[in-house]
Structures are given as structure tokens and as C-alpha cells.
Amino acid sequence: MNRIIIGVLLLLPCFLSSQERENKIAANFIHLLFANRVSEAYQLFDSTVKSKISEEQLGTIMPGIEKQFGKFISGIDTLVDVDGELTTFDFGVKFENGALTFRVVVNKKPEISGFWITPKTDKVEYRIPEYVNIAKFKEVEVEFGLPEWRLKGTLTIPRRIEKPKVVILVHGSGPNDRDETIGPNKPFKDLAWGLASKGIAVLRYDKRTKLYGSKMKPDDINIQAEVIDDVLEAVNFLKARNDVDKSKIIVLGHSLGAMVAPMIATQSQSICGIIMMAAPARKLEDLVLEQMEYIYSLKETISDDERSFLTDLQLKVDSLKNKTLRSSTPIIGIPASYFYDLAKYDQVKSANGGAKSFETPDFNSAR
């Protein structure tokens, strides 16, 4: 285990003395977590984080990572961002079957006020698609949303078109940024720039779970809070502007966003159309299981730990369907309560007639 501890600690570069306390607590937390000294690591959390994750739940993180990603290989890099009272450390760590970013947010006390883990992506320069004409639009940085959950986003507006129709992009599952970045791909940026090149305005924004994931309590996360409330706020934001056509607001959902697009439509009378891209007709838990099985099927050999992970996931999905799984039990990091809440929604029925009728959006012209 010393090899792991030393490897992670060496990720930290030298910083100014004013940051020493924050540096030490972030490094110490990673040290304790990888050394399986869970109780000590847990004591570094502030009261807000402790209210969202138990010591027992923290203790399941590293064993779960090892099952899915294999053994620790090495540290990759560390990025540090200072924003007012908070310092964010992104520790890149390589495992046998992939790389992860361990994000630790430290306040001035110093205590850990945020912690989460995401897949690590390589820095790849974004390539502008051939269909984009950047001379035909401009971009404006915007903020909107509920007071406690203010969101940052980008409004892409066509030039020389008075009050164009406008599309709101709604993310798939997970804590996505406004571009829905996945590795080197930025599909929402592609869509925004492509549509704006054709005279259609587009609003895209960082998802609530991306900006406030560490602040949200697992028991309070459901599809309404994670997705729909913020889409409705986006609609209200656009209705208050004078540079878009308020009568031509269209919701474009991808994956999970497409799945709940009809639900969004029933909650807003200001939406004139919905577009569903890669909309799943099945339950989310079935998709999660199938995707994980597919990912492992791409490997030449599957380890015993990986087989155990898939077996455990299958058992959880079965228990979820039988309604015997505890609401607090995580399924790939998401509490079962989230799946129970979403299971109440029949997206096929809603899309077939539960939502109001719309005109077919016409993207052949800007007006």
C-alpha cells in the first residue's frame, strides 16, 4: 500500500504558502482513502458533506472502484483551481482498466466541502465540424435558474436574424457540462453551432449535478430536481429575453433528456415542440445493466472481480424491479430511490398521447 500512497502524494506540485493548509488536507484525504483508513478520511469532511454520505458509504468507494477498474497503477497529474473561498484539486489516477479523476474541494477552515469521482478524459483540441460557419452567429455567457441552483450556460444567437426560434438542449444521464463533453466529443456544442449556422438560436448549460453535485443530498435527487426544474427555468429565462422568438421555444433532449422530454412538455405551456434524440423506451436500470455488459464484452478476458460486479449489478436490478432493494442502496453510484422515482414514469405512453400535441419543428428555415 505504501506504493499507492507515495504515488498519489507525488501528484501534488509545489504551491504558494497561502495554499499550504488546503494542499495538505487534500493530499491527506487521498492518502487516507487509498490506505483504506476510512474513519480518518471521513473526519475531514465538513458537516454538509457528512449529511450526504455516511462513513459506511465512503468505505464502499475504493472496493467498488477496484472491482470495476482494477488495481491502482499510478498517479497521472493534479490540476488546482482557486475560486474565492474554495480550492478544487483534480487528482488524475490510472488503474488497470481506465483512469479516474478524484475531485476534492477544500474550504478555508480547512475542511473538505466536496468530493466526487469522474472518468478522466484526455485533453483533446476541439475540431469545428465542417457544417459550422462561425461567422453566422455569436455566443453570450448567461446565468439563470432557481436562487439555490443558479446555472451557467451559453446562448448561441444567429447574426442578422431578428428573433430566431430557439432550442433548449437537455442532457443525458450524469453530471454533464453544457457541451455534454464525452472524451474528445462535444455533441451539444456541435448541435448549437450547427443550428446557429442555420439561423436557429440554442441555449445549453451546465447540468445541476455538474455544478452542485456535492451539495445535493442523495435522498433529494430525482428526475424533477435533476433535470426538469432547470429546463422550466430555462424556458422562463428565454421568455424574458427580447432577442429570441418566445413563441418558438423547442426542447431537444438526448438520451435521458429525450426520455423525459414529453414529461417536460406537460409542465410548460410555453414549449412549441420537442425533439427526442436516442430516446430510450425501456427502464433506465435495464439500460445501465446492458451498457455495462456491453463494455465488458469488448474486453478479451473478464476478471473475476468484473464478473462479480456484473452479477451484483444484475441482482440489484432484479431487486429493484421486485421493489425489495433499499432506497439508499447505490446502483453505479446512484441511489435506488432515483430509479424508483423514474420507474413511475411511462415515457412511451406519455410520448404517444400523454403530452400535448405540437407542430412539427421546421428547421429548414430560420423563421
Side-chain angles (χ1 to χ4, degrees):
M1 187 59 71
N2 286 338
R3 179 171 65 89
I4 295 178
I5 298 169
I6 293 171
V8 175
L9 290 179
L10 286 177
L11 297 176
L12 279 174
C14 295
F15 300 103
L16 298 175
S17 59
S18 62
Q19 290 296 125
E20 285 182 359
R21 294 194 309 164
E22 289 87 343
N23 301 343
K24 286 180 180 178
I25 194 171
N28 192 33
F29 175 76
I30 294 295
H31 166 98
L32 296 170
L33 189 66
F34 275 72
N36 200 32
R37 292 160 63 180
V38 178
S39 295
E40 294 172 75
Y42 189 75
Q43 293 311 311
L44 299 179
F45 286 152
D46 67 9
S47 58
T48 301
V49 178
K50 286 180 178 177
S51 70
K52 298 171 187 174
I53 182 172
S54 67
E55 184 176 322
E56 180 183 5
Q57 289 172 321
L58 181 64
T60 66
I61 288 177
M62 293 309 298
I65 287 175
E66 188 166 314
K67 281 186 178 181
Q68 186 173 354
F69 290 91
K71 297 184 182 301
F72 169 88
I73 299 297
S74 65
I76 302 174
D77 55 18
T78 300
L79 301 178
V80 183
D81 179 58
V82 181
D83 185 5
E85 297 295 309
L86 299 176
T87 303
T88 300
F89 299 83
D90 283 344
F91 297 92
V93 182
K94 184 178 180 180
F95 296 87
E96 287 178 315
N97 303 321
L100 298 172
T101 295
F102 288 69
R103 172 165 289 188
V104 181
V105 182
V106 183
N107 59 35
K108 291 294 183 182
K109 288 188 177 181
E111 295 175 329
I112 294 175
S113 57
F115 169 60
W116 57 95
I117 302 168
T118 58
K120 182 173 177 57
T121 57
D122 296 328
K123 298 293 183 181
V124 180
E125 183 178 352
Y126 175 73
R127 291 189 176 184
I128 300 175
E130 294 181 359
Y131 51 78
V132 169
N133 186 342
I134 60 175
K136 288 191 173 183
F137 59 85
K138 62 181 180 179
E139 293 201 309
V140 180
E141 295 300 297
V142 298
E143 286 192 18
F144 66 91
L146 298 167
E148 189 179 4
W149 312 107
R150 294 289 292 177
L151 302 178
K152 296 181 180 181
T154 302
L155 181 60
T156 310
I157 306 175
R159 298 183 185 275
R160 295 186 293 276
I161 294 179
E162 184 179 354
K163 295 187 177 181
K165 61 183 65 174
V166 57
V167 173
I168 301 171
L169 301 183
V170 184
H171 321 75
S173 58
N176 292 287
D177 64 16
R178 69 191 68 183
D179 296 329
E180 209 178 41
T181 303
I182 304 175
N185 304 305
K186 295 181 179 290
F188 274 13
K189 187 171 186 175
D190 292 345
L191 281 168
W193 285 20
L195 289 172
S197 296
K198 296 294 185 180
I200 298 161
V202 179
L203 175 63
R204 65 192 196 274
Y205 54 89
D206 297 325
K207 200 171 177 181
R208 185 187 298 193
T209 45
K210 174 71 174 179
L211 296 177
Y212 302 104
S214 62
K215 183 180 176 182
M216 300 178 72
K217 296 181 179 180
D219 292 344
D220 296 335
I221 298 178
N222 52 49
I223 197 65
Q224 186 74 32
E226 186 206 13
V227 178
I228 297 174
D229 285 345
D230 291 331
V231 179
L232 299 179
E233 288 297 316
V235 172
N236 292 334
F237 167 75
L238 292 173
K239 287 172 59 180
R241 297 185 67 92
N242 294 318
D243 52 358
V244 296
D245 188 340
K246 303 172 186 179
S247 68
K248 298 291 183 181
I249 299 175
I250 300 161
V251 166
L252 186 159
H254 171 235
S255 190
L256 178 67
M259 178 180 180
V260 299
M263 184 190 296
I264 295 168
T266 63
Q267 297 189 35
S268 175
Q269 297 300 313
S270 300
I271 298 171
C272 78
I274 60 174
I275 301 170
M276 295 179 285
M277 298 180 61
R282 291 175 291 158
K283 296 301 181 184
L284 182 62
E285 59 268 23
D286 294 325
L287 298 175
V288 167
L289 178 60
E290 183 179 284
Q291 287 173 357
M292 294 307 303
E293 289 175 337
Y294 173 73
I295 289 171
Y296 284 130
S297 74
L298 298 176
K299 302 181 63 177
E300 291 183 5
T301 59
I302 301 178
S303 68
D304 291 340
D305 285 342
E306 289 167 343
R307 287 194 182 90
S308 176
F309 171 80
L310 289 176
T311 299
D312 179 66
L313 182 58
Q314 178 71 69
L315 290 172
K316 286 181 177 178
V317 169
D318 292 341
S319 296
L320 188 73
K321 291 182 177 298
N322 295 331
K323 299 182 180 179
T324 57
L325 191 66
R326 288 193 307 172
S327 295
S328 60
T329 301
I331 300 178
I332 61 166
I334 306 170
S337 57
Y338 181 91
F339 292 88
Y340 280 132
D341 174 69
L342 191 57
K344 302 172 186 175
Y345 170 59
D346 186 335
Q347 66 268 34
V348 175
K349 180 179 179 180
S350 183
N352 281 335
K356 63 180 182 179
S357 298
F358 296 108
E359 60 180 274
T360 301
D362 178 13
F363 284 164
N364 293 320
S365 65
R367 300 305 303 273

